Amino acid sequence: MDAASPEPDSPKAPPMPSHGLSEPLLRYLEARGILLTLEAQEALGQVVRVLIFVGLAGFAVLVGWLLLASVVADLLMTQARWPWQAAAGALAGFHLVLAVIFLLATRNRLASMRWFGDTINEFRKDRAWLSSQTGKR
């Protein structure tokens, strides 16, 4: 026998278990990844809906200003005999209040959304289960 070939009586290293802890861990991570993907898609849909709402609100403010600002400014200048600066300032204040109302409505919509709720609940359950398993030993 040459030196490179192993002798039949030499001790071999024990085989590594291929289905030990790694397979359940990989299945667990895969399941959590799938859940996270589904919730990310749902969150994206919610964000798109909110962005559409913000865009429509901004467009409504712009159209409202374009249509009413000139009429109201003219009424203030002719009927109330205000200078144009006062009429423009009053209209600007009104539109700023309107913009704040839309922004508050948007903030309330964002605050009421539940982001990744199922994933967080599953992680809590997993953590509770793991702590109960480690507490048994």
Side-chain angles (χ1 to χ4, degrees), residues 53-70 91-103 106:
F53 177 76
V54 168
L56 289 174
F59 182 72
V61 169
L62 178 64
V63 170
W65 181 82
L66 290 173
L67 295 176
L68 294 176
S70 60
L91 287 173
F94 171 75
H95 286 95
L96 286 175
V97 169
L98 187 64
V100 167
I101 290 170
F102 279 122
L103 288 174
T106 302

Side-chain angles (χ1 to χ4, degrees), residues 129 131-137:
W129 181 82
S131 66
S132 71
Q133 294 300 313
T134 56
K136 290 181 180 177
R137 294 180 183 180

Side-chain angles (χ1 to χ4, degrees), residues 6-97:
E7 296 182 18
D9 297 333
S10 67
K12 294 182 180 179
M16 295 294 288
S18 62
H19 298 290
L21 185 59
S22 62
E23 185 176 342
L25 180 63
L26 289 175
R27 286 185 184 181
Y28 167 78
L29 291 175
E30 179 185 18
R32 292 303 174 254
I34 290 170
L35 181 61
L36 188 63
T37 301
L38 291 173
E39 287 195 331
Q41 290 172 350
E42 182 180 317
L44 178 64
Q46 290 176 346
V47 167
V48 166
R49 283 190 291 273
V50 168
L51 289 177
I52 288 171
F53 177 76
V54 168
L56 289 174
F59 182 72
V61 169
L62 178 64
V63 170
W65 181 82
L66 290 173
L67 295 176
L68 294 176
S70 60
V71 173
V72 173
D74 185 58
L75 286 174
L76 287 174
M77 290 185 305
T78 57
Q79 300 298 322
R81 300 194 191 279
W82 284 16
W84 73 268
Q85 295 92 343
L91 287 173
F94 171 75
H95 286 95
L96 286 175
V97 169

